Amino acid sequence: MKKLFLIGMGPGDEQLVTPKAKQAISISTDLVAYGLYLDLLGNQVNEKTLHDLPLGEEIGRARLALDLASKDKTVALISSGDIGIYAMATLVFELLDLQLQGKENHPEWLNVEIEVIPGISAMQAGSSYVGAMLGHDFCTISLSNLLTPWETIQKRIEKAGEADFVISFYNPVSKKRDWQLNTARDILLKSRPASTPVILGRQLTREDQSVKFITLGELDAKDVDMFTLVSVGNSESKHIKNGDKDWVYTPRGYSKKL
C-alpha cells in the first residue's frame, strides 16, 4: 500500500489527538517525526518502525516519508499542532511540485496516495485555555526569518497591526534569534494600546505547561523561549477576572444586541 498520512497530532496532550489521527497511526507501519512528538504519543507508537530525525532535518524527514511510502509502506509523517500550519505538509507538497517540474528524480513519489489529517494548533489550545482570545478576526505570523526575509515579516506585522487582528506569533525567539519579538512589540504599540492583553503559553497542554497573562507594554523577549506561543489581543480584547481565574476574550460586537 503506497500510502502517506500527514498527521497533526495536536499541541501535546494525548487526549487532544483526534480519533482520525489515532486511526491513521494505528494502521501505519512506519512513523516519521521529531523524537519528542513520538514520545508524546505514548503507547500509540508501540510495534511501529520509528524514524526519528532531529530538528533541522525537516527536508530529510519529508524525503524519507515519501521514499518509505513509495516502497509499499503505510507511513505517517507526524507534526505537532496542525501539520498544515508552519509544519511538514507544505514541504511534502513542495517536493512533489518539484518532481512534477522535473527538478527531482523520484517519479515513484507521484504514485503515493496522500491524506492530510489536521490537528489542534497551539493558538487554538492557548485561546481555549484563557477563554476566547480568537473570538474575532485573527492571524498568525512566524517571526523566524530563517526562510522568510525579515522585511516581509515586518510588513505583515505592520499590516496586521493596522487591520487590528488578534495575532499569534509562532517561532517568537530561538537561541540565535532574540530581537524580532521586541521589534514586533514596538510595531504593534503604534496601532494598539500598551494595555492590550497578551498571553504567553509555554508547552501548551503538556505536563510542564505554563500560561502567563501580561500586556503588550510588558512583553519582552527575555521572558519567552522557542517553546512559547505569544498571542496578542486586538484593541478590543479584554482581560477579566473571576475570583482566582483569569479570562481573555475578544468580543465580536454582540454588545450592541445585549
Side-chain angles (χ1 to χ4, degrees), residues 68-256:
L68 289 169
S70 68
K71 296 173 182 175
D72 291 326
K73 301 284 189 179
T74 302
V75 183
L77 176 60
I78 301 168
S79 286
S80 64
D82 185 312
I83 196 164
I85 300 177
Y86 302 123
M88 294 296 299
T90 185
L91 183 49
V92 169
F93 290 112
E94 189 167 358
L95 287 171
L96 291 174
D97 188 11
L98 290 173
Q99 176 58 43
L100 289 167
Q101 296 177 49
K103 297 178 181 179
E104 287 280 347
N105 188 26
H106 295 279
E108 67 277 7
W109 289 352
L110 300 179
N111 296 321
V112 173
E113 179 185 352
I114 296 176
E115 181 176 350
V116 183
I117 299 176
I120 296 171
S121 68
M123 65 178 174
Q124 291 171 292
S127 178
S128 66
Y129 184 84
V130 304
M133 194 166 192
L134 303 181
H136 209 331
D137 296 334
F138 64 89
C139 68
T140 66
I141 298 176
S142 171
L143 292 182
S144 173
N145 60 341
L146 182 63
L147 300 174
T148 304
W150 174 251
E151 293 76 14
T152 300
I153 298 171
Q154 179 172 322
K155 182 181 294 185
R156 290 172 178 169
I157 298 168
E158 291 169 350
K159 298 303 181 183
E162 292 171 8
D164 204 24
F165 284 107
V166 176
I167 305 173
S168 292
F169 287 114
Y170 282 68
N171 306 308
V173 299
S174 70
K175 292 180 180 179
K176 298 180 180 179
R177 181 178 51 76
D178 61 1
W179 57 269
Q180 287 95 332
L181 182 60
N182 287 351
T183 301
R185 173 203 62 204
D186 294 342
I187 292 171
L188 292 179
L189 283 170
K190 296 176 182 178
S191 57
R192 61 192 70 179
S195 59
T196 300
V198 173
I199 63 167
L200 306 180
R202 186 178 189 279
Q203 298 282 45
L204 288 164
T205 79
R206 303 177 189 180
E207 289 185 0
D208 53 347
Q209 169 182 282
S210 67
V211 177
K212 295 181 180 179
F213 297 80
I214 62 172
T215 65
L216 183 58
E218 295 170 329
L219 179 59
D220 195 305
K222 67 178 175 56
D223 301 320
V224 175
D225 65 15
M226 64 189 297
F227 301 107
T228 306
L229 174 77
V230 179
S231 290
V232 181
N234 70 11
S235 63
E236 296 186 348
S237 298
K238 296 184 178 182
H239 179 188
I240 61 176
K241 288 180 176 287
N242 180 23
D244 61 354
K245 181 61 179 177
D246 291 80
W247 300 104
V248 175
Y249 77 100
T250 303
R252 290 188 62 198
Y254 288 113
S255 59
K256 302 181 182 70

Side-chain angles (χ1 to χ4, degrees), residues 58-67 77 88 91-92 95:
E58 286 75 22
I59 295 175
R61 224 176 289 150
R63 287 182 177 277
L64 175 60
L66 285 166
D67 286 341
L77 176 60
M88 294 296 299
L91 183 49
V92 169
L95 287 171

